[in-house]
Amino acid sequence: MTHFLDISNTETGDIRAMLDRAAAMKAARAGRPKGTPDDETPLAGRMVALIFEKPSTRTRISFDVGARQMGAETMVLSGADMQLGHGETIADTARVLSRYVDLIMIRTFEEDTLHEMAEYADVPVINGLTNQSHPCQIIADVMTYEEHRGPIADARVTWCGDGNNVFASFAHAAGRLGFDLTFSGPAQLDPEDAPMRFAAQAGRPVRIERDAATAVEGANLVVADTWVSMHDSQTARERRHNLLRPYQVNAALMAHAADDALFMHCLPAHREEEATSEVMDGPHSVIFDEAENRLHAQKAVMRWCLGV
């Protein structure tokens, strides 16, 4: 069974195949209305289940539109619709869904939910996000970097902010694709050990630099993410803002990066918090290319999982 659960357990050659296919599929759709099918419809006759325990904009729309463009039908389900893991075990849900659909994408909280779904499903399972990782985002981010600047191997990437799930997948990608990654954020929000160990064991140890300007010096890519979650309390939000304010990506910080550096943010963004509008709408920013590329990356991931 070909699941896409994380960058860390996907071989480099497979990641590269997804990136190449995503770029080719994007080029083939140039200028075409979004609702029209691709020239190839490799998912014709397939049913794709899209499960959302956590709400989403880009993940939901990109998977839904992408599956439809490739000829599939989609079924969008919330955790409340299914009572996932409450009224029925996740294992039993996986077994039942496998009788109805050809592919499952799940966006959930706990990594264990994802892995139990994959263990008991008889169809491929895709990680649409967990609290620990967000591999689909990183496929889109690497695709975006490479369409603007060429191969990401040996590029200098700096992450400013919280060592969260998206950063974890960046660390996995550094190990798989061979780029240098620096984390710049407060010690209280350092990344978890596992992705740091993975990158180090792959020969690309992540550098930690507390001073944001030093961390960004000469960077080819600067990345930020939201400082707060929709589930954070007001007290937690205030604490995070106080910790992360020195890591805001603004024009003064970007001035330390390479002249042709790119800026990315996976969105949604809280403008004037993790990044200023001057940067987000400025010449370094590729955030909307990055958002669009979720569509093409998701399509490539689905095709890879189904072997079509």
Side-chain angles (χ1 to χ4, degrees):
M1 191 62 57
T2 307
H3 302 302
F4 183 62
L5 305 183
D6 226 330
I7 299 288
S8 59
N9 52 28
T10 307
E11 295 299 323
T12 301
D14 291 324
I15 295 168
R16 179 53 56 193
M18 285 184 247
L19 289 164
D20 290 345
R21 173 163 275 171
M25 294 182 79
K26 179 177 183 177
R29 284 203 64 87
R32 180 175 297 184
K34 306 301 187 292
T36 58
D38 291 349
D39 290 332
E40 293 182 89
T41 51
L43 270 59
R46 309 271 189 157
M47 178 61 73
V48 178
L50 307 175
I51 303 171
F52 293 91
E53 278 200 297
K54 297 183 79 168
S56 165
T57 299
R58 278 147 294 277
T59 299
R60 175 171 177 165
I61 295 171
S62 57
F63 268 107
D64 197 352
V65 172
R68 290 167 186 257
Q69 287 180 350
M70 294 190 294
E73 297 290 335
T74 60
M75 178 183 298
V76 181
L77 301 163
S78 72
D81 292 333
M82 305 178 66
Q83 295 191 337
L84 191 66
H86 301 291
E88 180 177 52
T89 67
I90 294 162
D92 285 351
T93 298
R95 292 183 179 106
V96 170
L97 277 176
S98 298
R99 303 295 181 99
Y100 300 146
V101 306
D102 301 288
L103 179 67
I104 299 167
M105 189 288 302
I106 181 168
R107 182 179 173 95
T108 188
F109 293 91
E110 300 303 326
E111 193 88 356
D112 287 348
T113 301
L114 169 74
H115 286 285
E116 188 172 349
M117 181 72 74
E119 180 179 356
Y120 291 97
D122 293 327
V123 299
V125 173
I126 296 172
N127 176 1
L129 175 142
T130 71
N131 288 345
Q132 280 70 50
S133 63
H134 197 359
C136 287
Q137 180 66 55
I138 299 318
I139 298 294
D141 289 358
V142 173
M143 176 187 176
T144 305
Y145 182 89
E146 294 194 338
E147 71 181 6
H148 284 273
R149 295 290 182 265
I152 198 168
D154 295 324
R156 296 181 61 184
V157 179
T158 299
W159 176 278
C160 294
D162 178 7
N164 61 13
N165 52 355
V166 183
F167 174 82
S169 290
F170 255 111
H172 294 154
R176 285 290 187 226
L177 298 174
F179 57 85
D180 295 328
L181 180 61
T182 297
F183 170 79
S184 190
Q188 298 91 326
L189 298 176
D190 269 354
E192 293 185 358
D193 290 340
M196 301 289 274
R197 284 197 306 271
F198 178 87
Q201 289 167 2
R204 291 287 175 165
V206 176
R207 182 170 70 105
I208 294 179
E209 173 54 63
R210 301 297 176 202
D211 180 74
T214 302
V216 168
E217 193 69 41
N220 304 112
L221 172 61
V222 179
V223 189
D225 196 2
T226 183
W227 288 351
V228 297
S229 165
M230 65 185 71
H231 306 289
D232 287 339
S233 67
Q234 185 59 36
T235 300
R237 287 168 181 261
E238 291 174 1
R239 174 177 174 272
R240 280 177 162 270
H241 277 88
N242 290 335
L243 287 170
L244 289 164
R245 196 165 287 113
Y247 301 95
Q248 181 192 70
V249 181
N250 50 40
L253 186 63
M254 284 299 298
H256 292 274
D259 291 343
D260 64 346
L262 301 179
F263 170 73
M264 291 188 194
H265 189 303
C266 66
L267 304 178
H270 299 84
R271 286 172 177 258
E272 313 309 326
E273 293 184 11
E274 60 265 16
T276 62
S277 291
E278 184 179 9
V279 170
M280 293 179 67
D281 299 327
H284 297 287
S285 178
V286 290
I287 60 173
F288 297 113
D289 291 342
E290 180 187 6
E292 178 193 342
N293 285 342
R294 289 293 303 278
L295 170 65
H296 312 295
Q298 254 72 296
K299 290 167 73 173
V301 170
M302 286 187 277
R303 291 189 66 172
W304 178 77
C305 285
L306 290 168
V308 296

